[in-house]
Short mmCIF file of all heavy atoms in Angstrom, two decimals:
data_model
loop_
_atom_site.label_atom_id
_atom_site.label_comp_id
_atom_site.label_asym_id
_atom_site.label_seq_id
_atom_site.Cartn_x
_atom_site.Cartn_y
_atom_site.Cartn_z
N LYS A 97 360.95 82.30 90.24
CA LYS A 97 359.79 81.56 89.77
C LYS A 97 359.33 82.06 88.41
O LYS A 97 359.39 83.26 88.13
CB LYS A 97 358.65 81.68 90.78
CG LYS A 97 358.95 81.06 92.13
CD LYS A 97 357.76 81.16 93.07
CE LYS A 97 358.06 80.51 94.41
NZ LYS A 97 356.90 80.58 95.33
N LEU A 98 358.86 81.14 87.60
CA LEU A 98 358.29 81.49 86.31
C LEU A 98 356.77 81.57 86.43
O LEU A 98 356.16 80.98 87.32
CB LEU A 98 358.69 80.47 85.25
CG LEU A 98 360.19 80.34 85.00
CD1 LEU A 98 360.45 79.32 83.88
CD2 LEU A 98 360.82 81.68 84.65
N HIS A 99 356.18 82.32 85.51
CA HIS A 99 354.74 82.57 85.56
C HIS A 99 353.92 81.31 85.34
O HIS A 99 352.89 81.10 85.96
CB HIS A 99 354.39 83.63 84.51
CG HIS A 99 352.92 83.91 84.40
ND1 HIS A 99 352.09 83.23 83.55
CD2 HIS A 99 352.14 84.81 85.06
CE1 HIS A 99 350.86 83.69 83.67
NE2 HIS A 99 350.86 84.63 84.58
N GLY A 100 354.38 80.46 84.43
CA GLY A 100 353.60 79.30 83.99
C GLY A 100 353.40 79.40 82.50
O GLY A 100 352.88 80.41 82.00
N ALA A 101 353.82 78.39 81.78
CA ALA A 101 353.91 78.49 80.33
C ALA A 101 352.56 78.58 79.64
O ALA A 101 351.55 78.06 80.12
CB ALA A 101 354.68 77.28 79.78
N ASP A 102 352.57 79.28 78.51
CA ASP A 102 351.45 79.31 77.56
C ASP A 102 351.82 78.47 76.34
O ASP A 102 352.98 78.48 75.90
CB ASP A 102 351.19 80.73 77.06
CG ASP A 102 350.36 81.56 78.02
OD1 ASP A 102 349.80 80.99 78.97
OD2 ASP A 102 350.29 82.78 77.82
N TYR A 103 350.83 77.77 75.79
CA TYR A 103 350.97 77.27 74.43
C TYR A 103 350.82 78.46 73.49
O TYR A 103 349.99 79.34 73.71
CB TYR A 103 349.88 76.26 74.10
CG TYR A 103 350.09 74.87 74.68
CD1 TYR A 103 349.05 74.21 75.33
CD2 TYR A 103 351.29 74.20 74.53
CE1 TYR A 103 349.21 72.94 75.85
CE2 TYR A 103 351.47 72.92 75.03
CZ TYR A 103 350.43 72.29 75.69
OH TYR A 103 350.60 71.04 76.19
N VAL A 104 351.60 78.48 72.42
CA VAL A 104 351.48 79.52 71.39
C VAL A 104 351.25 78.83 70.05
O VAL A 104 352.03 77.97 69.64
CB VAL A 104 352.76 80.39 71.32
CG1 VAL A 104 352.56 81.52 70.32
CG2 VAL A 104 353.11 80.94 72.70
N PHE A 105 350.14 79.21 69.41
CA PHE A 105 349.75 78.61 68.13
C PHE A 105 349.77 79.65 67.01
O PHE A 105 349.44 80.83 67.23
CB PHE A 105 348.32 78.05 68.21
CG PHE A 105 348.14 76.87 69.12
CD1 PHE A 105 347.90 77.05 70.48
CD2 PHE A 105 348.18 75.57 68.62
CE1 PHE A 105 347.71 75.96 71.32
CE2 PHE A 105 347.98 74.48 69.45
CZ PHE A 105 347.74 74.68 70.81
N TYR A 106 350.10 79.20 65.81
CA TYR A 106 350.01 80.01 64.60
C TYR A 106 349.52 79.13 63.45
O TYR A 106 349.51 77.90 63.55
CB TYR A 106 351.37 80.60 64.21
CG TYR A 106 351.98 81.53 65.22
CD1 TYR A 106 352.95 81.09 66.10
CD2 TYR A 106 351.57 82.86 65.32
CE1 TYR A 106 353.51 81.93 67.04
CE2 TYR A 106 352.12 83.72 66.25
CZ TYR A 106 353.09 83.24 67.12
OH TYR A 106 353.64 84.08 68.06
N TYR A 107 349.16 79.77 62.36
CA TYR A 107 348.87 79.04 61.13
C TYR A 107 350.17 78.82 60.37
O TYR A 107 351.01 79.72 60.27
CB TYR A 107 347.89 79.81 60.24
CG TYR A 107 346.47 79.84 60.78
CD1 TYR A 107 345.98 80.96 61.45
CD2 TYR A 107 345.64 78.74 60.64
CE1 TYR A 107 344.70 80.99 61.96
CE2 TYR A 107 344.35 78.75 61.14
CZ TYR A 107 343.88 79.88 61.81
OH TYR A 107 342.61 79.89 62.32
N THR A 108 350.34 77.62 59.85
CA THR A 108 351.46 77.38 58.95
C THR A 108 351.16 78.05 57.61
O THR A 108 350.04 78.52 57.36
CB THR A 108 351.68 75.87 58.73
OG1 THR A 108 350.51 75.33 58.08
CG2 THR A 108 351.92 75.15 60.05
N ASP A 109 352.15 78.10 56.74
CA ASP A 109 351.94 78.71 55.43
C ASP A 109 350.81 78.02 54.67
O ASP A 109 349.97 78.68 54.03
CB ASP A 109 353.24 78.64 54.61
CG ASP A 109 354.31 79.57 55.17
OD1 ASP A 109 353.96 80.51 55.89
OD2 ASP A 109 355.50 79.34 54.88
N ALA A 110 350.76 76.69 54.73
CA ALA A 110 349.72 75.96 54.02
C ALA A 110 348.34 76.24 54.61
O ALA A 110 347.35 76.42 53.88
CB ALA A 110 350.01 74.46 54.06
N GLN A 111 348.26 76.30 55.94
CA GLN A 111 346.98 76.58 56.59
C GLN A 111 346.52 78.00 56.30
O GLN A 111 345.32 78.26 56.13
CB GLN A 111 347.13 76.37 58.10
CG GLN A 111 347.31 74.91 58.49
CD GLN A 111 347.83 74.75 59.91
OE1 GLN A 111 348.38 75.67 60.50
NE2 GLN A 111 347.66 73.55 60.46
N LYS A 112 347.46 78.92 56.22
CA LYS A 112 347.13 80.31 55.88
C LYS A 112 346.51 80.38 54.49
O LYS A 112 345.48 81.05 54.29
CB LYS A 112 348.38 81.18 55.95
CG LYS A 112 348.18 82.58 55.39
CD LYS A 112 349.50 83.35 55.33
CE LYS A 112 349.30 84.70 54.65
NZ LYS A 112 350.58 85.47 54.57
N ASN A 113 347.12 79.72 53.54
CA ASN A 113 346.61 79.75 52.16
C ASN A 113 345.20 79.19 52.08
O ASN A 113 344.35 79.73 51.36
CB ASN A 113 347.55 78.96 51.25
CG ASN A 113 348.90 79.64 51.09
OD1 ASN A 113 349.01 80.85 51.23
ND2 ASN A 113 349.93 78.86 50.78
N ALA A 114 344.92 78.13 52.82
CA ALA A 114 343.57 77.56 52.83
C ALA A 114 342.59 78.52 53.48
O ALA A 114 341.45 78.69 53.00
CB ALA A 114 343.58 76.22 53.58
N LEU A 115 343.01 79.17 54.55
CA LEU A 115 342.15 80.11 55.27
C LEU A 115 341.74 81.28 54.39
O LEU A 115 340.57 81.71 54.40
CB LEU A 115 342.89 80.61 56.51
CG LEU A 115 342.16 81.61 57.41
CD1 LEU A 115 340.99 80.94 58.11
CD2 LEU A 115 343.12 82.19 58.44
N LEU A 116 342.67 81.79 53.62
CA LEU A 116 342.40 82.96 52.79
C LEU A 116 341.43 82.66 51.66
O LEU A 116 340.87 83.60 51.05
CB LEU A 116 343.71 83.51 52.23
CG LEU A 116 344.65 84.15 53.26
CD1 LEU A 116 345.96 84.55 52.61
CD2 LEU A 116 343.98 85.36 53.92
N GLN A 117 341.18 81.39 51.37
CA GLN A 117 340.24 81.01 50.32
C GLN A 117 338.80 80.90 50.85
O GLN A 117 337.86 80.76 50.07
CB GLN A 117 340.65 79.68 49.69
CG GLN A 117 342.05 79.68 49.10
CD GLN A 117 342.24 80.75 48.04
OE1 GLN A 117 341.39 80.94 47.17
NE2 GLN A 117 343.35 81.47 48.13
N GLU A 118 338.63 80.95 52.16
CA GLU A 118 337.31 80.74 52.76
C GLU A 118 336.46 82.00 52.67
O GLU A 118 336.96 83.12 52.60
CB GLU A 118 337.45 80.34 54.23
CG GLU A 118 338.00 78.95 54.44
CD GLU A 118 337.97 78.54 55.90
OE1 GLU A 118 337.58 79.36 56.75
OE2 GLU A 118 338.34 77.38 56.18
N SER A 119 335.16 81.79 52.69
CA SER A 119 334.21 82.90 52.78
C SER A 119 333.41 82.76 54.07
O SER A 119 333.25 81.65 54.60
CB SER A 119 333.25 82.90 51.57
OG SER A 119 332.56 81.66 51.51
N VAL A 120 332.94 83.88 54.58
CA VAL A 120 332.18 83.87 55.83
C VAL A 120 330.82 83.22 55.62
O VAL A 120 330.11 83.53 54.67
CB VAL A 120 332.01 85.31 56.37
CG1 VAL A 120 331.13 85.31 57.62
CG2 VAL A 120 333.36 85.93 56.66
N LYS A 121 330.47 82.31 56.52
CA LYS A 121 329.18 81.62 56.43
C LYS A 121 328.41 81.79 57.73
O LYS A 121 328.99 81.90 58.81
CB LYS A 121 329.39 80.14 56.13
CG LYS A 121 330.07 79.84 54.80
CD LYS A 121 330.26 78.36 54.60
CE LYS A 121 330.95 78.07 53.27
NZ LYS A 121 331.17 76.62 53.06
N GLY A 122 327.09 81.79 57.62
CA GLY A 122 326.25 81.88 58.81
C GLY A 122 326.14 83.30 59.33
O GLY A 122 326.54 84.27 58.68
N GLU A 123 325.59 83.44 60.53
CA GLU A 123 325.39 84.75 61.16
C GLU A 123 326.68 85.16 61.87
O GLU A 123 326.79 85.08 63.09
CB GLU A 123 324.23 84.68 62.14
CG GLU A 123 322.89 84.35 61.51
CD GLU A 123 321.77 84.31 62.53
OE1 GLU A 123 321.38 85.40 63.01
OE2 GLU A 123 321.31 83.22 62.87
N LEU A 124 327.63 85.62 61.09
CA LEU A 124 328.93 85.98 61.62
C LEU A 124 329.41 87.24 60.93
O LEU A 124 329.34 87.36 59.71
CB LEU A 124 329.92 84.83 61.38
CG LEU A 124 331.27 84.86 62.11
CD1 LEU A 124 331.82 83.45 62.21
CD2 LEU A 124 332.27 85.75 61.37
N ARG A 125 329.91 88.20 61.71
CA ARG A 125 330.36 89.45 61.10
C ARG A 125 331.30 90.19 62.04
O ARG A 125 331.44 89.85 63.22
CB ARG A 125 329.16 90.36 60.78
CG ARG A 125 328.35 90.79 62.01
CD ARG A 125 327.26 91.74 61.60
NE ARG A 125 326.36 92.07 62.69
CZ ARG A 125 326.59 92.97 63.63
NH1 ARG A 125 327.73 93.65 63.62
NH2 ARG A 125 325.70 93.22 64.58
N GLN A 126 331.94 91.23 61.48
CA GLN A 126 332.79 92.08 62.29
C GLN A 126 331.92 92.99 63.15
O GLN A 126 330.86 93.46 62.71
CB GLN A 126 333.69 92.93 61.40
CG GLN A 126 334.72 93.75 62.17
CD GLN A 126 335.71 94.46 61.24
OE1 GLN A 126 335.61 94.36 60.02
NE2 GLN A 126 336.66 95.17 61.83
N LEU A 127 332.35 93.23 64.38
CA LEU A 127 331.62 94.10 65.30
C LEU A 127 332.27 95.48 65.34
O LEU A 127 333.49 95.61 65.19
CB LEU A 127 331.59 93.49 66.70
CG LEU A 127 331.03 92.07 66.83
CD1 LEU A 127 331.07 91.61 68.28
CD2 LEU A 127 329.61 91.98 66.29
N THR A 128 331.45 96.50 65.56
CA THR A 128 331.92 97.88 65.64
C THR A 128 331.35 98.55 66.89
O THR A 128 330.63 97.93 67.68
CB THR A 128 331.50 98.67 64.40
OG1 THR A 128 330.06 98.83 64.42
CG2 THR A 128 331.90 97.94 63.11
N GLU A 129 331.64 99.83 67.05
CA GLU A 129 331.12 100.59 68.18
C GLU A 129 329.59 100.59 68.20
O GLU A 129 328.98 100.72 69.27
CB GLU A 129 331.63 102.03 68.12
CG GLU A 129 333.13 102.16 68.34
CD GLU A 129 333.59 103.60 68.26
OE1 GLU A 129 332.74 104.47 67.96
OE2 GLU A 129 334.78 103.86 68.50
N GLU A 130 328.97 100.45 67.04
CA GLU A 130 327.51 100.43 66.98
C GLU A 130 326.92 99.18 67.63
O GLU A 130 325.71 99.11 67.86
CB GLU A 130 327.06 100.53 65.52
CG GLU A 130 327.45 101.85 64.86
CD GLU A 130 327.00 101.92 63.42
OE1 GLU A 130 326.43 100.91 62.92
OE2 GLU A 130 327.20 102.97 62.78
N ASP A 131 327.77 98.20 67.92
CA ASP A 131 327.31 96.96 68.57
C ASP A 131 327.53 97.00 70.08
O ASP A 131 327.53 95.96 70.73
CB ASP A 131 328.07 95.76 67.99
CG ASP A 131 327.75 95.53 66.52
OD1 ASP A 131 326.58 95.23 66.21
OD2 ASP A 131 328.68 95.65 65.70
N SER A 132 327.70 98.18 70.65
CA SER A 132 328.03 98.28 72.07
C SER A 132 326.95 97.66 72.96
O SER A 132 327.26 96.97 73.94
CB SER A 132 328.26 99.74 72.46
OG SER A 132 327.13 100.52 72.18
N GLU A 133 325.68 97.87 72.63
CA GLU A 133 324.61 97.30 73.46
C GLU A 133 324.58 95.78 73.33
O GLU A 133 324.42 95.07 74.33
CB GLU A 133 323.26 97.90 73.06
CG GLU A 133 323.10 99.37 73.44
CD GLU A 133 321.70 99.87 73.17
OE1 GLU A 133 320.80 99.02 72.90
OE2 GLU A 133 321.48 101.09 73.22
N VAL A 134 324.74 95.30 72.13
CA VAL A 134 324.77 93.86 71.89
C VAL A 134 325.95 93.23 72.62
O VAL A 134 325.82 92.17 73.26
CB VAL A 134 324.87 93.57 70.37
CG1 VAL A 134 325.13 92.09 70.12
CG2 VAL A 134 323.60 94.00 69.66
N PHE A 135 327.09 93.89 72.58
CA PHE A 135 328.28 93.37 73.22
C PHE A 135 328.16 93.41 74.74
O PHE A 135 328.61 92.49 75.44
CB PHE A 135 329.52 94.15 72.77
CG PHE A 135 330.81 93.47 73.10
CD1 PHE A 135 331.30 92.44 72.30
CD2 PHE A 135 331.54 93.85 74.21
CE1 PHE A 135 332.49 91.80 72.61
CE2 PHE A 135 332.73 93.22 74.53
CZ PHE A 135 333.21 92.20 73.72
N SER A 136 327.54 94.45 75.26
CA SER A 136 327.33 94.55 76.71
C SER A 136 326.43 93.43 77.21
O SER A 136 326.68 92.85 78.28
CB SER A 136 326.71 95.91 77.07
OG SER A 136 327.62 96.97 76.82
N ALA A 137 325.40 93.12 76.44
CA ALA A 137 324.51 92.01 76.82
C ALA A 137 325.27 90.69 76.79
O ALA A 137 325.08 89.82 77.65
CB ALA A 137 323.32 91.97 75.86
N PHE A 138 326.16 90.55 75.81
CA PHE A 138 327.01 89.35 75.71
C PHE A 138 327.90 89.22 76.94
O PHE A 138 328.01 88.14 77.55
CB PHE A 138 327.84 89.43 74.44
CG PHE A 138 328.90 88.39 74.30
CD1 PHE A 138 328.59 87.08 73.98
CD2 PHE A 138 330.25 88.72 74.47
CE1 PHE A 138 329.57 86.11 73.84
CE2 PHE A 138 331.24 87.76 74.33
CZ PHE A 138 330.90 86.46 74.02
N GLN A 139 328.52 90.31 77.34
CA GLN A 139 329.40 90.29 78.51
C GLN A 139 328.63 89.98 79.79
O GLN A 139 329.11 89.23 80.64
CB GLN A 139 330.12 91.63 78.66
CG GLN A 139 331.20 91.86 77.61
CD GLN A 139 331.92 93.17 77.83
OE1 GLN A 139 331.29 94.22 78.01
NE2 GLN A 139 333.25 93.13 77.82
N SER A 140 327.44 90.54 79.91
CA SER A 140 326.65 90.32 81.12
C SER A 140 326.18 88.88 81.25
O SER A 140 325.83 88.43 82.35
CB SER A 140 325.45 91.27 81.16
OG SER A 140 324.55 90.98 80.10
N SER A 141 326.18 88.15 80.14
CA SER A 141 325.78 86.74 80.15
C SER A 141 326.97 85.81 80.38
O SER A 141 326.80 84.59 80.39
CB SER A 141 325.10 86.37 78.82
OG SER A 141 323.95 87.15 78.60
N SER A 142 328.16 86.40 80.55
CA SER A 142 329.37 85.62 80.77
C SER A 142 329.85 85.77 82.21
O SER A 142 329.60 86.78 82.85
CB SER A 142 330.48 86.08 79.82
OG SER A 142 330.05 86.03 78.47
N SER A 143 330.54 84.76 82.70
CA SER A 143 331.07 84.83 84.06
C SER A 143 332.30 85.74 84.09
O SER A 143 332.97 85.94 83.08
CB SER A 143 331.45 83.43 84.55
OG SER A 143 332.59 82.95 83.85
N GLU A 144 332.60 86.26 85.27
CA GLU A 144 333.78 87.11 85.42
C GLU A 144 335.05 86.35 85.08
O GLU A 144 335.97 86.89 84.47
CB GLU A 144 333.86 87.65 86.86
CG GLU A 144 332.82 88.71 87.18
CD GLU A 144 333.02 89.97 86.35
OE1 GLU A 144 334.17 90.30 86.00
OE2 GLU A 144 332.01 90.63 86.02
N GLN A 145 335.10 85.08 85.46
CA GLN A 145 336.27 84.27 85.17
C GLN A 145 336.47 84.09 83.67
O GLN A 145 337.58 84.22 83.16
CB GLN A 145 336.15 82.90 85.84
CG GLN A 145 337.40 82.02 85.72
CD GLN A 145 338.59 82.65 86.43
OE1 GLN A 145 338.53 82.94 87.62
NE2 GLN A 145 339.68 82.87 85.69
N ASP A 146 335.37 83.81 82.96
CA ASP A 146 335.47 83.66 81.50
C ASP A 146 335.91 84.96 80.84
O ASP A 146 336.72 84.95 79.90
CB ASP A 146 334.12 83.21 80.93
CG ASP A 146 333.84 81.74 81.18
OD1 ASP A 146 334.77 81.01 81.55
OD2 ASP A 146 332.67 81.33 81.02
N LEU A 147 335.39 86.08 81.32
CA LEU A 147 335.76 87.38 80.75
C LEU A 147 337.24 87.67 80.97
O LEU A 147 337.93 88.15 80.07
CB LEU A 147 334.91 88.49 81.38
CG LEU A 147 333.43 88.50 81.00
CD1 LEU A 147 332.68 89.52 81.86
CD2 LEU A 147 333.25 88.82 79.52
#
Side-chain angles (χ1 to χ4, degrees):
K97 296 182 178 181
L98 299 182
H99 176 270
D102 278 349
Y103 282 132
V104 185
F105 293 85
Y106 298 99
Y107 288 101
T108 63
D109 290 339
Q111 291 164 341
K112 170 187 175 180
N113 292 334
L115 180 68
L116 291 175
Q117 302 303 315
E118 290 186 356
S119 58
V120 176
K121 297 179 181 179
E123 297 181 72
L124 192 157
R125 62 176 174 81
Q126 186 174 1
L127 305 180
T128 68
E129 293 180 356
E130 296 180 357
D131 295 296
S132 58
E133 291 186 11
V134 171
F135 194 81
S136 293
F138 171 75
Q139 288 182 311
S140 65
S141 300
S142 305
S143 70
E144 288 296 329
Q145 186 63 57
D146 284 345
L147 291 171

